[in-house]
Amino acid sequence: MPPFNDLKDKVHKRLRMRVIIYFVISIVVLGVSIFHILKDGANAFLALVGLLVGIVIGTVVARMYKISWDKNAAQVISKFDAVGVIILVLYVVFEVFRSKIVGYFVHGPSVLAVSFAILAGIMYGRVFGIRGKVRQVFEEEGVA
């Protein structure tokens, strides 16, 4: 599922690269989570729940960027807005304390697997959220 492959000339290169990087990171981090499930005997169900929670968080975090249509460039662009800064600060705090937060709910060998699953979910959620917003801009502007 390469992001925006069908309309890549209509999405600013920096935004396209950001989504590709999030997607690649999510695959690598999910692999690390699966590794810990297999190696440490972590609870796969808890990791799946962590992945789903991460997707929700990532979709909300995708709100950091205001995505709009630039008529001069005929491309979708992204900018930070005031709400995005607040979300970014909350996201950074969550990332810094992610293992401690997960540790309150999950114990033993599952902490690492769930923590990485949440991170993978956040990256997937960001990809899904940004893609959805770009598609919405395309619909509003009549670009297809």
Side-chain angles (χ1 to χ4, degrees):
M1 172 181 74
F4 315 118
N5 202 30
D6 51 339
L7 296 168
K8 67 181 181 181
D9 59 326
K10 300 289 185 190
V11 178
H12 192 271
K13 184 177 180 179
R14 190 173 17 186
L15 177 60
R16 203 170 56 240
M17 284 306 298
R18 185 180 306 136
V19 172
I20 289 169
I21 289 169
Y22 292 156
F23 186 69
V24 170
I25 290 171
S26 67
I27 291 171
V28 171
V29 173
L30 184 60
V32 171
S33 179
I34 291 169
F35 171 78
H36 281 289
I37 290 169
L38 297 175
K39 179 183 168 270
D40 301 335
N43 188 325
F45 176 74
L46 291 176
L48 179 63
V49 170
L51 181 69
L52 296 175
V53 167
I55 289 173
V56 170
I57 292 169
T59 304
V60 170
V61 169
R63 170 64 183 88
M64 285 189 307
Y65 300 102
K66 182 179 182 208
I67 296 178
S68 60
W69 183 255
D70 182 352
K71 292 182 184 192
N72 295 330
Q75 289 184 330
V76 175
I77 60 170
S78 68
K79 297 179 185 174
F80 249 58
D81 61 358
V83 175
V85 172
I86 294 168
I87 292 172
L88 176 63
V89 169
L90 292 173
Y91 175 65
V92 168
V93 168
F94 175 77
E95 280 302 313
V96 168
F97 296 106
R98 178 173 32 96
S99 291
K100 290 186 185 265
I101 294 169
V102 170
Y104 284 120
F105 301 102
V106 179
H107 304 287
S110 295
V111 172
L112 275 176
V114 172
S115 184
F116 281 114
I118 290 171
L119 182 57
I122 288 171
M123 293 297 142
Y124 280 127
R126 290 176 84 171
V127 169
F128 297 147
I130 292 171
R131 280 184 61 121
K133 290 170 75 174
V134 168
R135 300 264 184 226
Q136 180 182 5
V137 169
F138 283 158
E139 288 176 13
E140 290 170 359
E141 295 296 324
V143 177

